[in-house]
Amino acid sequence: MEPLKSIIRKVVTGATLTREEAASAFDSMMSGDATPSQIGGLLIGMRVRGETVAEVTGAASAMRNIMPTVETRCDPIDIGGTIDTAMCSLNVSTCASFIVAGVGIPVAKNVNRATSSGSSTADVLARLGVKVDLTPDAMARCVQEADVGFMFASAEYPAMQRISQIRSTLGTHTMFNLVEALSNPARVKRQILGVFTPEWVQPLAHVLKNLGADSVWVVHGSDGLEEITLTGTSLVAAVEAGTVRTFEVTPEEAGLPRYRTDALESSDVEAHAVELRKVLDGLPGRLRDAALLNAAAALVVAGRASTLQEGVALGQESLDRGAAAARLNRLIAVSNA
């Protein structure tokens, strides 16, 4: 393992790291061998210079090796983003997760709880009655028995708690935002991943391909959302059969209407929980359409739908026959058991 000091020296000179060097650096950080100054310096140095595909691949490999494993005994899909906050998007990916589970595709949604805001997925789920402080075995049981579970395992790793404190003092996105989103404890092979900037759409698709993903859409909405947006076009990089291709999608392509840019803005946890429950209970409107659009993409990635329109139709059936709401109710029961 290359000493962390020499790796930091390379980064500050503007040099890039190999996959192996990045893995070594992140292993040092997560094993507790690195000081807060070294962690902060390396993260900021890489952020300023710009992280590479090889570096993100190596860092994600290191994190996957030390993360607790959630053994689901199935082939779940992940639907999420690189930053866990419900701000401005009304927890679309969480709502979509229940819709997809209602279709019969198990969902293991990875959640970065360590840097969450007051409107995070954990807060919204707790308001709905879901227990979120679970062991890896309990998370696996949720996926197996409710067809949907939320993976908070990264927050349980002791080193991550210390690193999260350092990250919060930096006040900016770092490599960890990317790496955590790539390190689902359920070891998913299928994923919808929203990213905070279009520049990362194609690179992260290549990272996931390097890490052995089977089917992936990495997405970014033209309005800045980490999801497929209802307000315009969305950029997509898809991993399919070991290759990466890029394209754009629109809500009209899925048979859904287009909304104003501010149509999904909100910052209140209680409102998020109430709106999510209303959608699952059949309320039409903007959140339902946004969740249907992202659920449709997940169903395409999972191989259940061949087009977004077909995926929307399956999602509508999941909502209309009460299957999506039943998955939430079942998750509440299983998580609290």
Side-chain angles (χ1 to χ4, degrees):
M1 181 182 297
E2 186 169 355
L4 185 59
K5 287 184 178 180
S6 65
I7 291 176
I8 294 174
R9 281 196 295 269
K10 288 189 68 171
V11 171
V12 299
T13 62
T16 60
L17 305 179
T18 65
R19 175 174 175 169
E20 292 71 25
E21 289 170 332
S24 174
F26 273 72
D27 185 67
S28 295
M29 285 191 278
M30 291 180 288
S31 65
D33 294 337
T35 67
S37 296
Q38 288 176 321
I39 294 172
L42 182 58
L43 292 176
I44 291 298
M46 299 179 81
R47 173 71 194 278
V48 171
R49 188 210 61 206
E51 301 93 341
T52 69
V53 168
E55 290 168 344
V56 179
T57 302
S61 298
M63 177 168 277
R64 288 182 173 200
N65 287 337
I66 62 95
M67 288 286 294
T69 300
V70 175
E71 299 286 357
T72 62
R73 299 198 299 274
C74 61
D75 186 18
I77 189 171
D78 185 6
I79 310 170
T82 51
I83 303 174
D84 177 34
T85 173
M87 292 291 289
C88 300
S89 62
L90 284 173
N91 247 229
V92 167
S93 63
T94 300
C95 192
S97 296
F98 293 112
I99 295 173
V100 171
V103 176
I105 302 295
V107 178
K109 177 173 166 56
N110 194 29
V111 184
N112 167 16
R113 195 176 173 193
T115 57
S116 65
S117 71
S119 56
S120 70
T121 300
D123 299 300
V124 173
L125 288 172
R127 292 295 182 100
L128 291 167
V130 178
K131 184 178 180 181
V132 297
D133 295 317
L134 300 176
T135 65
D137 285 345
M139 294 179 204
R141 190 163 58 250
C142 289
V143 177
Q144 290 157 196
E145 298 183 17
D147 278 337
V148 59
F150 293 80
M151 310 290 107
F152 294 100
S154 63
E156 303 304 319
Y157 192 73
M160 292 305 299
Q161 297 173 10
R162 183 170 66 98
I163 290 172
S164 70
Q165 296 173 351
I166 298 170
R167 291 166 61 191
S168 66
T169 65
L170 297 177
T172 185
H173 304 156
T174 70
M175 175 90 90
F176 271 102
N177 290 101
L178 304 175
V179 171
E180 283 186 317
L182 300 168
S183 305
N184 190 312
R187 305 299 192 260
V188 298
K189 296 289 188 179
R190 304 177 296 178
Q191 187 170 3
I192 296 287
L193 176 62
V195 294
F196 51 82
T197 175
E199 287 74 24
W200 272 114
V201 171
Q202 190 168 9
L204 284 189
H206 283 282
V207 170
L208 283 164
K209 180 176 73 71
N210 293 344
L211 293 170
D214 291 335
S215 181
V216 170
W217 277 20
V218 182
V219 304
H220 177 80
S222 58
D223 52 4
L225 292 181
E226 295 189 32
E227 61 201 34
I228 303 176
T229 182
L230 285 172
T231 69
T233 61
S234 298
L235 179 63
V236 181
V239 177
E240 303 166 332
T243 64
V244 175
R245 70 181 181 99
T246 59
F247 53 93
E248 292 183 341
V249 298
T250 65
E252 292 86 356
E253 182 180 338
L256 295 169
R258 193 174 291 218
Y259 286 76
R260 299 190 317 273
T261 302
D262 63 348
L264 295 175
E265 289 187 356
S266 174
S267 59
D268 181 75
V269 176
E270 184 65 30
H272 293 180
V274 170
E275 287 296 311
L276 193 152
R277 173 59 86 172
K278 285 181 178 178
V279 170
L280 296 184
D281 288 340
L283 182 73
R286 62 195 190 190
L287 177 55
R288 175 186 169 106
D289 287 347
L292 281 171
L293 180 56
N294 285 271
L299 292 170
V300 170
V301 167
R304 180 60 64 88
S306 57
T307 66
L308 288 176
Q309 285 200 12
E310 183 181 345
V312 167
L314 289 170
Q316 289 171 333
E317 182 183 358
S318 173
L319 287 169
D320 294 342
R321 64 185 175 87
R327 293 305 89 204
L328 170 58
N329 294 334
R330 181 60 179 155
L331 176 62
I332 293 170
V334 174
S335 67
N336 284 281

